[in-house]
Amino acid sequence: MKQDAIFERVSARLKAQVGPDVFASWFGRLKVHSVSKSVVRLSVPTTFLKSWINNRYLDLITSLFQQEDAEILKVEILVRTATRGARTGLAEDTAVTEPVAPQAQPRRPASGPQPVASAAVSVSAAAQPRAQQSSPLFGSPLDQRYTFDVFVEGTSNRVALAAARTIAEAGAGAVRFNPLFVHSSVGLGKTHLLQAIALGALSSARNPRVVYLTAEYFMWRFATAIRDNDALSLKETLRNIDLLIIDDMQFLQGNSIQNEFCHLLNMLLDSAKQVVVAADRAPWELESLDPRVRSRLQGGVAIEMEAPDYEMRLEILKRRLAAAQQEDGSLDIPVEILSHVARNITASGRELEGAFNQLLFRRSFEPNLTIERVDELLGHLVAAGEPRRVRIEDIQRVVAKHYNVSRQELVSNRRTRVIVKPRQIAMYLSKTLTPRSFPEIGRRFGGRDHTTVLHAVRKIEELISGDTKLSHEIELLKRLINE
């Protein structure tokens, strides 16, 4: 039939765009339900898959159908099952039953800092033979490749990795890191590390009850439970877990949802259950969070993962090449080119992954790539002529390290001389190097009033004019921040 032929072509193009592993996990059970002149209805077996596809891929699928038949105006996703089984505390749409195993073994990632765009878009948790034993109680599916073994360790992530291993291996003994809050910019390995904790804990002999999810999934799951009058059952399930892992905490929104999360967090921490959280900035900088949640998260251990240094970036590329050579023994990229890429792609492991994939693609029909040609191909990643956007957290980190204090002390209420001077310098640099307003800077320094920031800026300006040593110090800090 025509509609089946169109669906097959759309499926093939969708698979080519998202990759075979993601396709198998999220679209393997997609079927044609009905087709009218302008509307295509597709079906999936669970409401979770329906919600996931609607939120992330519906526009893409609609576009692909319209490319095949211009008369198609709309694509709808339906749930095939008309009835639900009896509830047992977990809805049937939880992620533990979601993904189907890809037909082929997925390629192992070569480094820590290369998570997928969202933790919940991981390939199937059933991709490895042990998946049935190592599935979280419910939540976002785990990517079985994201283990500690393939996480590239370096100076930028060594402390976070050590804490993560302790939690995964030591069980109750690790509650001194409770809650553990890991933060970094995008593409530096937070998702990999969190999933490694979950996989490590699930494979241990103590058989803990683990929930791994994104903040976005937590919001959706609670909203669904409230709609279905199942909130009490969900809360009871969460009450009895041993390890809660939440990624992308910065996306947790909504007063009622944050209130529920606050109760859950208090309950788990008071019961000495382990909580691990990750976000793109430190807990005291998550201004959208309820102050009670922010305060409780600050009561644990906050660890920042920084951008990888040259040696770590080179090691990531070497491991990535070794993994690719397992599939194609004839593949070779000279170490000079890898070294050149490692020196010039500095922002994140995700950009390194993009650079390597570009090299891999080009080598297939340009076997003799030169350094100059590599610069042409990767110019959009290097962005040599564009000034880097400076963030207040970058300034706080550099100033704190230079003066041997912590970032948390910079935003605290401590007023000792050893803290006040670095804090004023950090405020001054925040005003001169970023477009942020005085009130915004004040909020990022522990909720201070804008007049405090104004005073700090004027104070440092006054000191610089008469103190050559401080002036040179400020210039050094500017260079360090902009590197």
Side-chain angles (χ1 to χ4, degrees):
M1 296 174 62
K2 178 185 175 183
Q3 62 191 44
D4 292 331
I6 291 177
F7 178 69
E8 288 180 8
R9 290 197 297 270
V10 167
S11 296
R13 296 176 69 174
L14 180 61
K15 186 175 184 179
Q17 290 209 31
V18 303
D21 293 336
V22 172
F23 182 88
S25 296
W26 302 103
F27 306 103
R29 291 179 284 176
L30 195 65
K31 294 181 180 179
V32 177
H33 178 273
S34 62
V35 179
S36 66
K37 185 174 181 180
S38 60
V39 179
V40 174
R41 292 181 176 84
L42 307 175
S43 69
V44 291
T46 68
T47 55
F48 176 77
L49 274 178
K50 173 187 173 182
S51 175
W52 189 260
I53 293 172
N54 274 334
N55 288 337
R56 286 167 174 75
Y57 293 102
L58 187 61
D59 289 344
L60 173 60
I61 293 173
T62 302
S63 174
L64 293 176
F65 269 104
Q66 289 174 341
Q67 291 172 34
E68 294 292 335
D69 186 345
E71 293 186 351
I72 294 174
L73 301 178
K74 184 179 181 182
V75 175
E76 294 179 352
I77 309 295
L78 310 175
V79 179
R80 282 197 288 275
T81 50
T83 59
R84 289 179 178 266
R87 290 195 178 272
T88 59
L90 295 180
E92 67 168 352
D93 57 0
T94 55
V96 76
T97 60
E98 286 311 314
V100 293
Q103 297 303 308
Q105 181 80 0
R107 180 183 297 169
R108 289 165 62 90
S111 71
Q114 52 170 310
V116 289
S118 167
V121 191
S122 305
V123 293
S124 168
Q128 301 283 353
R130 65 172 183 158
Q132 290 184 346
Q133 300 97 275
S134 60
S135 294
L137 191 61
F138 80 89
S140 308
L142 297 175
D143 187 331
Q144 300 290 318
R145 304 169 300 172
Y146 281 2
T147 64
F148 288 124
D149 292 340
V150 296
F151 190 91
V152 177
E153 180 180 351
T155 56
S156 62
N157 62 22
R158 187 165 289 127
V159 176
L161 178 59
R165 283 186 181 277
T166 300
I167 288 171
E169 297 167 2
V175 293
R176 62 182 181 276
F177 302 117
N178 207 14
L180 174 64
F181 193 105
V182 179
H183 60 102
S184 76
S185 299
V186 297
L188 298 184
K190 297 188 298 296
T191 295
H192 187 146
L193 195 64
L194 263 61
Q195 295 210 18
I197 293 173
L199 289 169
L202 287 164
S203 63
S204 68
R206 65 184 189 277
N207 193 29
R209 292 157 297 185
V210 177
V211 166
Y212 168 83
L213 39 75
T214 62
E216 184 181 34
Y217 184 94
F218 180 85
M219 291 189 294
W220 174 84
R221 189 65 189 82
F222 252 105
T224 302
I226 292 169
R227 182 199 66 195
D228 295 342
N229 295 317
D230 194 37
L232 288 177
S233 178
L234 178 60
K235 290 177 186 179
E236 190 60 32
T237 298
L238 291 171
R239 184 190 304 273
N240 295 314
I241 65 176
D242 300 303
L243 173 59
L244 173 67
I245 303 174
I246 296 190
D247 201 359
D248 292 326
M249 176 56 71
Q250 69 273 10
F251 294 132
L252 191 69
Q253 303 290 333
N255 291 335
S256 61
I257 296 295
Q258 290 200 31
N259 188 53
E260 293 290 355
F261 179 76
C262 187
H263 289 312
L264 172 62
L265 189 62
N266 288 334
M267 179 183 62
L268 293 176
L269 294 178
D270 291 343
S271 303
K273 303 296 180 67
Q274 184 67 53
V275 176
V276 181
V277 176
D280 64 358
R281 49 193 177 274
W284 53 88
E285 295 171 347
L286 295 173
E287 298 172 2
S288 63
L289 281 187
D290 185 299
R292 295 172 301 164
V293 175
R294 199 161 61 235
S295 174
R296 202 71 205 251
L297 292 175
Q298 286 180 238
V301 176
I303 300 176
E304 182 176 16
M305 293 170 60
E306 300 179 354
D309 57 20
Y310 165 73
E311 288 76 15
M312 186 175 169
R313 295 194 299 270
L314 182 59
E315 178 63 19
I316 290 170
L317 291 173
K318 286 180 177 179
R319 289 202 194 184
R320 189 70 179 80
L321 177 61
Q325 287 174 331
Q326 290 181 359
E327 297 184 1
D328 182 358
S330 65
L331 176 66
D332 184 40
I333 298 177
V335 69
E336 308 86 64
I337 288 182
L338 294 182
S339 177
H340 181 73
V341 172
R343 289 185 191 281
N344 288 278
I345 308 297
T346 60
S348 73
R350 190 170 295 156
E351 289 189 357
L352 273 181
E353 176 76 0
F356 182 84
N357 289 337
Q358 183 84 293
L359 290 179
L360 208 62
F361 173 70
R362 290 289 175 174
R363 287 282 294 182
S364 61
F365 51 88
E366 291 184 53
N368 299 314
L369 284 175
T370 64
I371 296 293
E372 292 73 20
R373 180 59 176 149
V374 169
D375 285 341
E376 290 178 24
L377 296 172
L378 304 182
H380 63 292
L381 292 174
V382 176
E386 298 178 11
R388 189 174 70 89
R389 183 176 66 87
V390 176
R391 304 178 306 158
I392 290 177
E393 50 263 42
D394 296 328
I395 294 171
Q396 291 172 338
R397 185 184 68 250
V398 172
V399 171
K401 185 175 181 180
H402 182 77
Y403 289 102
N404 197 30
V405 298
S406 71
R407 284 181 65 194
Q408 194 155 0
E409 285 176 315
L410 286 182
V411 302
S412 72
N413 291 324
R414 290 186 59 191
R415 298 184 58 81
T416 58
R417 188 173 182 276
V418 73
I419 300 298
V420 170
K421 181 184 175 183
R423 182 186 294 140
Q424 289 180 334
I425 289 174
M427 288 180 178
Y428 166 80
L429 291 171
S430 296
K431 186 56 186 171
T432 56
L433 298 181
T434 78
R436 303 300 180 189
S437 64
F438 285 120
E440 171 68 10
I441 294 170
R443 285 195 295 271
R444 303 295 284 275
F445 279 83
R448 285 175 163 77
D449 188 81
H450 72 280
T451 57
T452 303
V453 183
L454 178 60
H455 170 74
V457 171
R458 288 177 175 172
K459 178 74 172 177
I460 298 302
E461 286 176 342
E462 179 184 334
L463 291 174
I464 288 175
S465 63
D467 188 337
T468 305
K469 181 182 177 183
L470 179 60
S471 178
H472 289 163
E473 231 173 89
I474 297 291
E475 290 304 314
L476 171 62
L477 288 169
K478 287 180 178 179
R479 289 199 299 272
L480 292 173
I481 290 165
N482 284 303
E483 282 181 356

